[in-house]
Every structure is written in C-alpha cells, then in structure tokens.
Amino acid sequence: WLFNLLSGGSGSPYRLGLIDYGQVKKITKSDRITMCKLVIAMAEENHDEVVRLMKETGYSSKNMDPDIMYKYCQVSFDED
C-alpha cells in the first residue's frame, strides 16, 4: 500500500487524512529514464521528441496523430 498522510488542518492537530495511491505502479529503470526524458522534452517544448518518446513508452491510438499525442502528453504530464 502506498499513501500519503495529511495531518492538522482546520486548527486541529489531530485530524488525519489519507491520500490513496491506487494507481501507483512499479516501473523499470529504463522506463523511468524514458519518462524523465519525456518531462525534459515537454519542458523544452520539443514536439518531435515528445512524440517519439510517447511512441517509445507504448502509447498508441487509432490515428497516431502527432498533434493529439503531444496534447495528450501535455494534459497528462505537464504542470502548465
């Protein structure tokens, strides 16, 4: 089980909250490196590299439209 604990809030130090990480998955070192490269490519707004890395991660769709793939990555991984 993976989760975060939150304490305090509302003026009471005795409140406790749990955040469930049910969607957490263990990934290989290679996959972690690829995801790091993907985050860097997003930060650099490198459209071609983002699309290439999305394919490398196994992303697939009916049309494999590069613009849609880039937007999907923005929604999924970009903080802005």
Side-chain angles (χ1 to χ4, degrees), residues 14 28 34-36 45 48 51 58 64 76 80:
Y14 302 108
T28 65
T34 301
M35 291 303 295
C36 290
E45 298 180 9
D48 293 336
V51 171
M64 294 298 283
S76 298
D80 294 335

Side-chain angles (χ1 to χ4, degrees), residues 47-77:
H47 189 278
D48 293 336
E49 183 67 358
V50 168
V51 171
R52 186 190 75 73
L53 289 164
M54 287 289 285
K55 291 177 183 176
E56 188 175 319
T57 64
Y59 174 87
S60 68
S61 67
K62 183 177 180 181
N63 297 319
M64 294 298 283
D65 182 313
D67 292 327
I68 300 298
M69 293 171 70
Y70 187 82
K71 288 291 183 188
Y72 178 83
C73 190
Q74 281 182 314
V75 169
S76 298
F77 305 115

